Amino acid sequence: VTISIIARPQDRRGAEVLKQMWDAVGLRTTIDAMERLAWVAAARNRNIGITTFRAHLHPDPDLMSVQIITNGSANWFNWSDPNMDKCMEDGRTTLEDAKRADIYKRCQQVLFDEAVYGPLFNWKHNDVTNKRVQGEMDNWEWPRFKRLWLSQ
C-alpha cells in the first residue's frame, strides 16, 4: 500500500504513524511524498489510492462545499455525487437552524455511505485572541487580519 502525501512535515508525520501501525499488522506500506502541485495533479487524475490532507472544519457546514460538491475548487479527487450536491444546496438555501441541522446530517450520511473521506487524525491548532482584538473575525481557519485592529 502506498500513502501519497504532500511533502511537508505535518503530512509526513501523519503518514509515518499510519505506516507504523499498518506495517505492524502485516500491511506493507510505503510513503510517496510529492510536491503540492504534483499531489493535486495526481489526485485530480485519480492516481492516488490513499492520502492524507487537511480538511478544515468550519462553523458553517456549507463552507465544506468546496471539498465535496461536483466541481468544488478543493474537490481534489473530482468526486461527484448528485445526492451530495443537492443536499449541500438544500442546506445552503435553508434559513431555519433546526432544518439546516437535519439537512447537514443527511449530507454526513452521504459521505459515510460513499466512504469518500474519513477522519484519521486531527492536527493541533491553537487559536488565541484577546478582548482588545476588534473587527470582523468570521473564520479562524482563514483569518482576514486586514479587518482587525487592537483597541487601547
Side-chain angles (χ1 to χ4, degrees):
V1 169
T2 299
I3 305 171
S4 301
I5 62 168
I6 298 171
R8 55 186 175 191
Q10 60 269 42
D11 287 357
R12 179 165 293 283
R13 283 190 300 271
E16 287 171 351
V17 168
L18 291 173
K19 176 179 174 23
Q20 184 178 24
M21 290 188 300
W22 292 347
D23 284 348
V25 296
L27 188 61
R28 286 176 292 177
T29 308
T30 59
I31 298 172
D32 180 18
M34 340 178 163
E35 183 271 328
R36 181 176 178 81
L37 293 178
W39 179 89
V40 169
R44 289 211 184 271
N45 291 319
R46 296 185 178 208
N47 291 330
I48 290 178
I50 298 172
T51 190
T52 65
F53 65 95
R54 181 177 174 193
H56 304 288
L57 300 176
H58 302 282
D60 183 348
D62 185 54
L63 296 172
M64 292 290 296
S65 289
V66 297
Q67 296 171 329
I68 57 179
I69 63 169
T70 302
N71 298 321
S73 61
N75 182 347
W76 305 122
F77 306 101
N78 293 320
W79 180 60
S80 178
D81 185 315
N83 295 320
M84 179 57 78
D85 296 344
K86 173 78 168 93
C87 191
M88 293 302 287
E89 181 180 344
D90 290 348
R92 180 181 314 113
T93 57
T94 300
L95 298 177
E96 295 176 42
D97 288 342
K99 286 183 181 178
R100 286 186 90 215
D102 288 340
I103 290 167
Y104 287 127
K105 286 177 187 172
R106 204 173 74 229
C107 297
Q108 285 180 325
Q109 189 63 49
V110 173
L111 282 176
F112 178 79
D113 291 344
E114 295 295 319
V116 177
Y117 295 107
L120 296 174
F121 54 87
N122 192 15
W123 293 350
K124 182 178 178 181
H125 289 85
N126 295 313
D127 295 327
V128 179
T129 189
N130 184 295
K131 64 183 178 182
R132 291 179 48 218
V133 176
Q134 302 294 308
E136 180 183 339
M137 181 57 97
D138 56 354
N139 183 347
W140 282 99
E141 282 294 335
W142 299 102
R144 295 175 181 93
F145 294 112
K146 291 181 179 180
R147 299 180 186 177
L148 302 178
W149 68 92
L150 290 177
S151 65
Q152 296 296 335

